[in-house]
Amino acid sequence: MSEVANTIFSPELAARFDHLVTIYPMRRSALVPMLLYAQDEVGYVSDAVVTEIAQRIGLLELDVRNVLSYYSMLRTKPAGKYNVQVCTNISCMLRGGYEILDHCKAKLGIGHKEVTKDGVFSLEEVECIGACCWAPAMQVNYDFHDNLTTIKVDEIIETYRAGQGKDVK
Amino acid sequence: MPTLVSHPDEVKVISRRFGQGAANIDKYIELDGYKAVQQAIAEGPEWIINTMKASGLRGRGGAGFPTGLKWSFVPKQSEKPKYVLVNGDESEPGTCKDHVIFREDPHAVIEGTMIAGLAIGSKLGFIYLRGEYRYLLKIVEKAVADAYARGFLGKNIFGTGVDFDIITQSGAGAYEVGEESALMESLEGKRGVPRIKPPFPAVVGLYGGPTVINNAETIANAPHILLMGGEAYAKLGTERNGGTRLFGISGHVERPGVYELPMGYSLRKAIYEVAGGIKDGKKLKAVVPGGASCPVLTADEIDVGLDFDQMAKAGTMLGSGGIVVLDDTVSIVEFALRTIAFYQHESCGWCIPCREGTDWIKKTLTRVYQGGGNKKDVDNVQYLAENMMGRTFCPLGDAAAMPTLGFVKKFRKEFEDYIEGHKAGTPIITVQQLVGAGH
Ligand SMILES: Cc1cc2nc3c(=O)[nH]c(=O)nc-3n(C[C@H](O)[C@H](O)[C@H](O)COP(=O)(O)O)c2cc1C
Ligand code: SF4
Ligand code: FES
């Protein structure tokens, strides 16, 4: 049974949240993962998400917004269904990370933090994603793709466009 | 997805189970898994800490603090509960070794957490993974659930009357959260900004209780060390630098990858033999030896052993073990700019030298890079970086300043030639103008 009237989350996520706030020595510890999981389901951290998470944990909305604004993976606007994140940090840069980013820009017709008109893809240039030895690398949602070439990127994007890409959440 | 590599010079301790499906608990047990923790329960905290001290293991998260000593700092008596916190934030550019551990041997992290908990008298451990590692978090969560199902975690573990729990935790993207006190803030559901020290985490840490915080590789080493004995582990490395470590070799090498090498192994051999030499037969220009924050080494400075002390003597750091190799086509100006841009982006903004310093260095290098530089800019950048050193709340300020200083000192001529070659007639911008008069 949910402690808070669930308005926006799936029953599974609501149940997960009910559990999450109970496992820590302090309820508030659930905040960062909750924001992330809510974003995964809703697509972004909407005002409604902020309100409900604040209630579930017993925080002011201001507290939640304050934390929300700190973390780079949390967003307050929708991204594409598939968020393409290309690393251009040092190891990737040395192995063509910028070419991969430029290729994605051209291929998707969008720039950094933009979303395609059909809402299927968004693009971001990101800092090191911890795949340096398999550079250049990118993440699509939570899937890692590495040892990239522009040809490989084309294939990956087509796979997602066709709705066949893995979509780990 | 990590492609596993290997080389005959490797000494496999922590990577012993890689590539064998050890994420599966049965496989892990078959490969000596969960033996060390049972021995630890039988022998007790003093034995664990003494073994860890004898191993000469130094933290793999960057600073290289002796692990056994760290564990021994936690007060035996405490009114507040004690905690173990595993740092799996892994955000230092050039570093991807913990990625492989979480994927290939998650139970080693779990078992190591339990051992650290036994050593300090804690009943609760946290494994914190950066938000981007969601697929790895799933692997670790599954491993934790499997350990619970076997009775290895929870109440009365292995029927010994000892209780121990583990909570897995996810971050949401912030390099600064890798800093230990910022990590604790984040885990408490706050902005990941550092705390003022002292008090140190060993005394006042998570939720105000004494806390041991270790890098994931450090923790995953513990079971191996207990099984093989502290002295045997120590012997694999050099004096004061026990054992082996995972090195990620990336950039312009033929065979990039994560390799386990004994401490003290030659950097030259790591590049030319283990990683197959410079890609496409090009020439080596420079090496960033331990993740982005470590001062660069030039091509003639690579005859140095990969341990904390030898690297310090060479004027750089072993850091997080991420060796980034640059061939002679790389523009140091561009590389330095990309490096500082990272630190500027990740500064939490709390202290002025870090917030403003990274920003000014980035702006100056951007202008230089774009062709509008002046020779004075090299001095400006050096001055700014020197004034950040040691003047910030947390080591991120130093982490930004140190590589910057390395680039401008060792490659000053390249910066000057670059500026000369890109003369665009911009007026001199003095340091005073840069940082603002009267500050
Ligand atoms: C800005 C900054 C980022 C850091 N990032 C990490 C990290 O991602 N992983 C890590 O283990 N240590 C990181 N550290 C080091 C930790 O603060 C801490 O020293 C380490 O986790 C201690 O573990 P160890 O003794 O096992 O090395 C970082 C430090 C700083 C200053
Ligand atoms: S040094 Fe930088 S990251 Fe660290 S506290 Fe100061 S502003 Fe924040
Ligand atoms: S530099 Fe791109 S993944 Fe690390």
Side-chain angles (χ1 to χ4, degrees):
Chain A
M1 267 291 283
S2 178
E3 298 173 32
V4 179
N6 182 48
T7 48
I8 46 176
F9 303 132
S10 66
E12 296 76 33
L13 190 62
R16 186 174 183 184
F17 283 176
D18 286 342
H19 176 65
L20 207 59
V21 289
T22 64
I23 60 173
Y24 298 97
M26 190 193 270
R27 277 176 92 84
R28 190 175 172 147
S29 284
L31 179 55
V32 177
M34 267 167 90
L35 285 168
L36 204 51
Y37 300 153
Q39 168 171 292
D40 291 342
E41 190 170 280
V42 178
Y44 66 107
V45 184
S46 62
D47 289 345
V49 167
V50 170
T51 306
E52 180 155 338
I53 287 182
Q55 277 176 13
R56 282 176 172 273
I57 303 182
L59 290 172
L60 297 175
E61 286 188 22
L62 185 69
D63 276 332
V64 175
R65 288 191 196 282
N66 192 21
V67 170
L68 166 64
S69 64
Y70 186 76
Y71 295 94
S72 66
M73 287 174 71
L74 299 173
R75 51 177 183 262
T76 49
K77 282 194 208 115
K81 181 163 187 273
Y82 300 112
N83 189 30
V84 179
Q85 301 181 296
V86 182
C87 173
T88 59
N89 211 309
I90 52 175
S91 303
C92 289
M93 170 182 149
L94 294 177
R95 292 183 85 97
Y98 280 104
E99 286 90 306
I100 298 295
L101 179 66
D102 289 343
H103 185 75
C104 287
K105 282 181 180 165
K107 171 114 188 153
L108 299 171
I110 50 175
H112 174 59
K113 293 220 174 201
E114 289 177 0
V115 188
T116 54
K117 276 205 194 77
D118 59 7
V120 177
F121 292 103
S122 49
L123 181 64
E124 256 183 282
E125 175 182 5
V126 293
E127 299 297 355
C128 177
I129 52 176
C132 326
C133 290
W134 315 289
M138 68 181 193
Q139 262 188 302
V140 181
N141 296 348
Y142 293 112
D143 276 341
F144 278 79
H145 298 279
D146 47 41
N147 283 309
L148 296 173
T149 58
T150 50
I151 296 168
K152 216 167 150 183
V153 168
D154 286 345
E155 287 167 9
I156 292 164
I157 287 177
E158 288 317 321
T159 314
Y160 284 102
R161 206 193 294 281
Q164 289 160 358
K166 263 203 295 157
D167 184 18
V168 184
K169 275 191 178 161
Chain B
M1 243 58 29
T3 315
L4 297 174
V5 284
S6 71
H7 186 270
D9 279 6
E10 279 188 280
V11 177
K12 300 199 173 196
V13 178
I14 193 166
S15 62
R16 180 158 66 88
R17 300 191 191 96
F18 290 4
Q20 299 190 62
N24 176 304
I25 193 164
D26 290 316
K27 191 75 199 173
Y28 182 74
I29 293 167
E30 189 188 312
L31 298 167
D32 307 326
Y34 291 109
K35 271 189 196 159
V37 64
Q38 295 185 61
Q39 195 181 357
I41 294 171
E43 303 276 358
E46 229 184 274
W47 176 81
I48 304 171
I49 290 182
N50 287 338
T51 309
M52 293 303 283
K53 279 185 177 165
S55 75
L57 176 72
R58 294 172 68 172
R60 303 310 195 215
F65 193 83
T67 307
L69 197 60
K70 187 184 262 191
W71 293 7
S72 73
F73 286 160
V74 177
K76 284 209 175 61
Q77 301 301 329
S78 164
E79 276 174 23
K80 297 211 167 174
K82 305 179 205 178
Y83 303 103
V84 178
L85 175 48
V86 180
N87 190 344
D89 197 55
E90 186 153 79
S91 306
E92 176 84 351
T95 314
C96 53
K97 66 191 178 62
D98 298 342
H99 189 145
V100 187
I101 299 172
F102 287 125
R103 191 182 132 108
E104 296 295 325
D105 205 1
H107 285 286
V109 182
I110 295 169
E111 193 177 356
T113 309
M114 298 165 79
I115 290 167
L118 289 163
I120 64 161
S122 157
K123 291 185 187 320
L124 180 57
F126 295 87
I127 302 177
Y128 186 108
L129 264 66
R130 62 181 302 188
E132 290 87 346
Y133 281 0
R134 176 62 54 83
Y135 94 100
L136 297 168
L137 183 68
K138 289 199 154 188
I139 294 171
V140 178
E141 278 173 349
K142 163 101 176 40
V144 168
D146 290 347
Y148 268 108
R150 297 291 170 103
F152 298 174
L153 282 172
K155 294 250 174 294
N156 189 21
I157 57 175
F158 305 102
T160 56
V162 176
D163 303 339
F164 196 78
D165 287 288
I166 288 183
I167 295 175
T168 47
Q169 174 77 352
S170 173
Y175 168 73
E176 176 57 8
V177 163
E179 195 279 329
E180 54 188 16
S181 62
L183 183 57
M184 297 187 301
E185 288 287 296
S186 178
L187 187 40
E188 291 179 9
K190 301 176 208 149
R191 291 166 80 89
V193 294
R195 298 177 181 172
I196 290 175
K197 290 183 239 178
F200 291 95
V203 186
V204 182
L206 204 53
Y207 309 114
T211 304
V212 146
I213 166 159
N214 275 121
N215 169 258
E217 183 188 355
T218 313
I219 282 287
N221 264 305
H224 297 288
I225 289 169
L226 298 197
L227 284 183
M228 71 192 290
E231 284 80 11
Y233 182 82
K235 269 198 211 121
L236 299 173
T238 54
E239 211 194 330
R240 299 197 339 117
N241 289 267
T244 57
R245 104 170 272 193
L246 293 177
F247 290 99
I249 312 180
S250 66
H252 292 142
V253 287
E254 283 291 349
R255 277 195 312 274
V258 175
Y259 299 92
E260 182 169 4
L261 298 169
M263 293 292 263
Y265 191 85
S266 151
L267 174 58
R268 177 181 296 279
K269 277 172 74 181
I271 296 168
Y272 283 97
E273 287 173 31
V274 177
I278 311 305
K279 195 168 171 279
D280 302 329
K282 293 219 173 70
K283 256 182 70 187
L284 175 67
K285 177 168 185 171
V287 183
V288 176
S293 64
C294 301
V296 65
L297 293 171
T298 61
D300 19 321
E301 292 175 323
I302 60 166
D303 288 302
V304 51
L306 289 164
D307 71 29
F308 290 101
D309 301 325
Q310 292 183 63
M311 295 305 272
K313 248 172 104 182
T316 184
M317 298 182 308
L318 192 64
S320 57
I323 302 171
V324 186
V325 178
L326 284 63
D327 74 20
D328 63 354
T329 63
V330 181
S331 157
I332 292 292
V333 177
E334 186 183 8
F335 195 81
L337 172 58
R338 185 62 187 90
T339 303
I340 197 69
F342 169 75
Y343 290 103
Q344 188 265 350
H345 185 259
E346 299 298 326
S347 168
C348 84
W350 188 20
C351 24
I352 295 161
C354 171
R355 184 183 66 220
E356 303 288 312
T358 52
D359 199 47
W360 277 114
I361 295 172
K362 181 186 155 187
K363 279 188 180 138
T364 312
L365 288 182
T366 302
R367 191 160 42 72
V368 166
Y369 177 64
Q370 288 173 342
N374 187 291
K375 274 195 176 173
K376 189 87 180 131
D377 285 333
V378 192
D379 294 328
N380 291 348
V381 167
Q382 184 169 339
Y383 176 88
L384 287 162
E386 276 167 358
N387 278 286
M388 287 166 68
M389 284 297 293
R391 294 200 172 97
T392 53
F393 282 116
C394 93
L396 190 139
D398 293 350
M402 286 183 299
T404 305
L405 285 172
F407 291 129
V408 295
K409 283 182 180 165
K410 289 186 179 168
F411 291 93
R412 175 173 279 271
K413 185 153 180 341
E414 180 169 335
F415 280 91
E416 289 174 353
D417 289 350
Y418 186 98
I419 291 164
E420 199 68 14
H422 291 79
K423 260 192 209 134
T426 37
I428 295 178
I429 300 215
T430 64
V431 173
Q432 278 75 11
Q433 284 171 304
L434 268 179
V435 299
H439 281 263

